[in-house]
Amino acid sequence: MGALLSSLPAPLGKEIEFFLVSEFSFDQVGLGDILVNLLFAVLAFLLVRKIGPYAIDRYYLEPYRNVSRGSAMANVLYRIIAPVIVLEVLHLALSVSLYFVFERIMAVDLRWISVAVYWVILFGIKITKRLFLAPKGLLLEALASLTLFMLFDSTVISRIPLEGLTVFDGTNIGFQMLISIGFMLVYWITSLIVGSTGFGEDPSAVLKERLEKTLYSYLRQFRHVIKSCKNGERFESDYLLRAIVLSVMYIEDQNRPKPVRQIENMLSRVGLSKTTGIMQCKMENNASHAKRCYTDEESIQVAVPKLITLWERFIYAAAMNGDGDSTGRTIWFTSNWYSFDAKWFEVALKSHFSLLYGEYRGSKVLDCDSVFAQILDFVKNERNQMTPSRIAVSSDLFEKSVQTYSDAVMTVNGGSLGFYGDYELEPGHGVYWSLTFNESTMDELNRIVKALRKTNATTIDSIRIENNVYCKVEYSGRSLQNLDLRAAWYKYEKPKARK
C-alpha cells in the first residue's frame, strides 16, 4: 500500500493516507470503541425517527408508491444525510466532553461502524414491520450514507484539531460538484424506490407495466399450485378471490423479495424467523424439526385455504350486518351453495381490503387498499372486463342459517332472512332452482325445460347453469305439473296481484 501511495501525486497520496489512517485504524480499536459505536447507532436511530416529522413534510420510514416524487426525494435525502449529521454530532459532543474532563483530545475510533449498525437496525425494523422493501434502493441509501460519513469524517471532523473551524469553508467548486452528484444519486435511489425510470415519463404507466409483469409471472409460476389447493378451483371462478390471493402474494413478495426469503429460510432453521415462503406463512406446530421453513409453493398451499376462509368470513359478516338498505348486499343461499352480487362486494373490498389483509397478516396498520384496486383492475382486464354480475360458490357457509328451511332457496340482507322470489320475482313469474348439484341435476333440468315448453300457460324467461353449483329456470305463467324430481329442487311461483 505504501508503494502505491508513493507513486501517486504527493497531495493526493497524502489525502488518501490521511483517510485510511483516520477511518481504518483497526490496531487502535478497543472494546470501548465498539460499545460506544453500538450505543450511538441505537441513539441515532431513535433521534432520526423522532426528528423526521419535524425536519421534512410527510416523513416515512419508507416512501410508498402513492406519495409524490418530491416527498419521496425528501425522504431519501433525509435518510441518507440525517444519520451522518446525528452521529457526527454525537461523536463530536463526546470528544468535547472528554476534552473538558481529561484536558486532552480523545475520540472514538472507527466511527463509521455506528453508521453501518444504524442501517442494520433500520433493515431489521423494515423486516419486522413488513414494510415495502426496495432492496436496491435500500442498499444504495446505506452505501451513500456510509460513504458520506467517511468523507465528512476524514475531510472535516478529523481535521478540526489541526485546522480549526476553517474546514467548514465550502466555497470551492469541487464541493459544489459533489453536491450535484449527490442530488443525482438521490434521484436515482428515488427512482428505484418509487418506481419511475426516467425524466418526462409517466410514473403511473411505468408502475402499471411493472405490476402487470409481476402478476403474470405469478400466474405462470403458481397457477397450478393454487388450483391444487383445497377449493383452489374457486381461484378461476371467483375473480374477487383471485384478486385477493394475488394482492396478498404481491404485498408479501414486495415485503420479502426472494433474496430476503432465502435469508429467512436459513434463519428459520435456528428459530430466528417464524414466517417463510412467498406468502409468509408460519410453520405449523406439528411440523417436523428437520423442516422449519416453507418453499414458495408450500406457503401458497397453506395460505390459499386460509384466504378463502377469511373471504367467506367477510361475505358472511356483510350479509349478517348492516341495515339492509342495499339490494346489492343480498345473498341467495342453500345449505350447499351461495350466490352474491359481484359489483357490490367489489366496491366493499376496495375500501375494506386492508382490514381483510390485516386478519391474514396479524396487524391492520398497513393501508393497502390502493394496491388491491390496481390488482383488481389487472384481474378484470385479464378477462377483458367481462366479469359476472353474480358469483356462485359451492359451500356450506350458510348451512346453519338454512337448517329449518332446507327445501328452499333463502335470502339474507342485513341479517334478515327471506325466501327467494318474494321480492326478486315479478307477479305471475316462477322459478325452479336446484338446491344442490349432482349427476341427476342436468337430467332433471332437461325434464323441467321440456315440461315448461309443452305447457301453453308458461314461457321460459331464462335458464342458468352454474357448473357444480346449481341449475335455475325462471318462467312466466303457472306450472301445474308434478314432475316428481329426484334431486332437491326449490319451486316458487309469485301470484299475480289481485285487481
Side-chain angles (χ1 to χ4, degrees):
M1 180 62 72
L4 178 61
L5 293 176
S6 62
S7 65
L8 297 174
L12 178 60
K14 184 178 179 181
E15 289 293 335
I16 294 177
E17 183 179 6
F18 185 85
F19 173 78
L20 294 176
V21 170
S22 62
E23 299 301 321
F24 297 99
S25 299
F26 292 101
D27 55 331
Q28 300 178 13
V29 178
L31 179 60
D33 296 308
I34 301 297
L35 293 177
V36 171
N37 279 317
L38 293 177
L39 176 62
F40 279 6
V42 175
L43 288 176
F45 179 79
L46 297 176
L47 288 172
V48 170
R49 294 288 301 279
K50 187 71 174 178
I51 299 171
Y54 302 98
I56 57 174
D57 185 33
R58 300 191 71 186
Y59 169 75
Y60 299 92
L61 183 61
E62 180 73 52
Y64 292 99
R65 289 162 174 75
N66 60 343
V67 304
S68 67
R69 174 168 295 280
S71 296
M73 289 185 68
N75 275 271
V76 170
L77 190 61
Y78 177 80
R79 286 200 306 276
I80 291 174
I81 296 177
V84 174
I85 296 176
V86 170
L87 284 167
E88 288 289 17
V89 168
L90 289 175
H91 283 293
L92 193 59
L94 178 62
S95 296
V96 171
S97 301
L98 292 175
Y99 178 80
F100 282 111
V101 173
F102 298 100
E103 297 185 352
R104 63 190 182 95
I105 297 176
M106 301 175 66
V108 176
D109 289 317
L110 299 185
R111 291 182 289 276
W112 56 266
I113 290 178
S114 57
V115 180
V117 174
Y118 168 89
W119 282 98
V120 170
I121 294 173
L122 183 60
F123 177 79
I125 294 295
K126 288 175 179 288
I127 292 295
T128 303
K129 293 191 173 184
R130 298 189 179 186
L131 297 175
F132 285 97
L133 185 63
K136 293 180 181 178
L138 178 66
L139 179 60
L140 282 174
E141 282 181 331
L143 290 176
S145 184
L146 186 60
T147 302
L148 182 62
F149 182 92
M150 287 184 176
L151 289 174
F152 188 73
D153 191 65
S154 63
T155 59
V156 178
I157 301 299
S158 297
R159 295 177 185 270
I160 291 178
L162 303 175
E163 303 178 25
L165 298 180
T166 58
V167 296
F168 289 102
D169 181 16
T171 59
N172 59 83
I173 300 299
F175 187 73
Q176 296 177 30
M177 183 62 70
L178 286 175
I179 293 176
S180 301
I181 295 172
F183 181 80
M184 293 176 64
L185 180 62
V186 168
Y187 187 91
W188 185 27
I189 295 173
T190 304
S191 297
L192 288 172
I193 294 175
V194 178
S196 180
T197 58
F199 293 95
E201 195 166 9
D202 182 7
S204 61
V206 175
L207 285 174
K208 184 176 181 180
E209 181 181 359
R210 186 176 299 177
L211 176 66
E212 285 190 355
K213 288 181 179 179
T214 302
L215 295 176
Y216 275 124
S217 70
Y218 294 158
L219 292 176
R220 287 193 300 270
Q221 287 181 266
F222 304 123
R223 189 175 220 144
H224 68 285
V225 180
I226 297 173
K227 292 173 67 175
S228 68
C229 298
K230 182 181 179 182
N231 297 321
E233 69 281 353
R234 288 180 56 181
F235 183 77
E236 301 296 336
S237 60
D238 183 349
Y239 77 94
L240 294 179
L241 174 64
R242 183 188 299 196
I244 291 171
V245 173
L246 290 177
S247 296
V248 173
M249 186 178 295
Y250 178 78
I251 293 170
E252 295 297 349
D253 187 31
Q254 293 299 301
N255 292 341
R256 300 289 202 280
K258 193 164 186 178
V260 177
R261 294 201 299 274
Q262 292 172 341
I263 296 174
E264 281 187 327
N265 289 346
M266 292 186 289
L267 294 176
S268 66
R269 299 183 186 280
V270 293
L272 296 180
S273 180
K274 296 183 179 180
T275 57
T276 53
I278 193 170
M279 301 297 278
Q280 287 297 290
C281 297
K282 289 184 178 181
M283 292 296 295
E284 298 178 1
N285 294 331
N286 59 355
S288 65
H289 180 75
K291 184 174 180 60
R292 290 183 175 271
C293 62
Y294 287 122
T295 63
D296 288 346
E297 290 77 7
E298 290 170 339
S299 71
I300 290 172
Q301 291 174 337
V302 173
V304 169
K306 182 178 180 180
L307 288 173
I308 291 176
T309 300
L310 293 175
W311 175 218
E312 289 201 325
R313 190 183 300 169
F314 182 91
I315 293 171
Y316 189 85
M320 292 301 177
N321 296 282
D323 51 15
D325 59 342
S326 173
T327 56
R329 189 191 288 259
T330 302
I331 292 179
W332 310 334
F333 66 93
T334 70
S335 59
N336 301 297
W337 55 260
Y338 61 88
S339 172
F340 59 89
D341 186 290
K343 299 302 179 185
W344 190 93
F345 277 90
E346 181 180 312
V347 173
L349 268 177
K350 283 183 178 180
S351 58
H352 291 79
F353 175 76
S354 294
L355 299 178
L356 189 150
Y357 172 66
E359 291 189 57
Y360 174 86
R361 182 190 183 203
S363 172
K364 299 186 178 183
V365 298
L366 182 62
D367 182 5
C368 46
D369 289 339
S370 61
V371 175
F372 174 78
Q374 294 177 65
I375 294 177
L376 178 60
D377 285 341
F378 165 83
V379 170
K380 293 169 69 175
N381 289 336
E382 190 190 14
R383 297 188 171 196
N384 299 315
Q385 292 289 332
M386 297 180 183
T387 54
S389 58
R390 296 191 71 89
I391 296 174
V393 179
S394 178
S395 170
D396 60 357
L397 178 63
F398 291 91
E399 185 177 22
K400 293 182 179 179
S401 301
V402 79
Q403 285 180 346
T404 308
Y405 306 102
S406 58
D407 59 346
V409 175
M410 304 289 293
T411 65
V412 59
N413 187 339
S416 299
L417 299 177
F419 295 95
Y420 178 85
D422 289 341
Y423 299 99
E424 292 78 9
L425 295 177
E426 296 291 333
H429 288 69
V431 63
Y432 279 97
W433 206 336
S434 67
L435 303 178
T436 185
F437 195 98
N438 53 40
E439 295 178 356
S440 62
T441 302
M442 291 302 299
D443 293 335
E444 295 185 341
L445 173 66
N446 292 331
R447 289 177 56 200
I448 292 171
V449 171
K450 289 179 180 178
L452 291 174
R453 293 184 66 187
K454 289 180 180 178
T455 305
N456 293 329
T458 58
T459 301
I460 296 177
D461 296 327
S462 66
I463 301 173
R464 187 173 185 84
I465 301 173
E466 292 284 352
N467 285 332
N468 299 318
V469 182
Y470 64 69
C471 295
K472 177 186 179 184
V473 182
E474 289 193 5
Y475 60 92
S476 56
R478 295 193 65 189
S479 174
L480 302 176
Q481 299 185 48
N482 184 5
L483 299 178
D484 189 26
L485 301 173
R486 288 172 293 173
W489 286 77
Y490 171 66
K491 178 186 176 183
Y492 181 88
E493 290 184 355
K494 188 170 184 177
K496 292 182 178 181
R498 293 182 180 181
K499 297 183 180 179

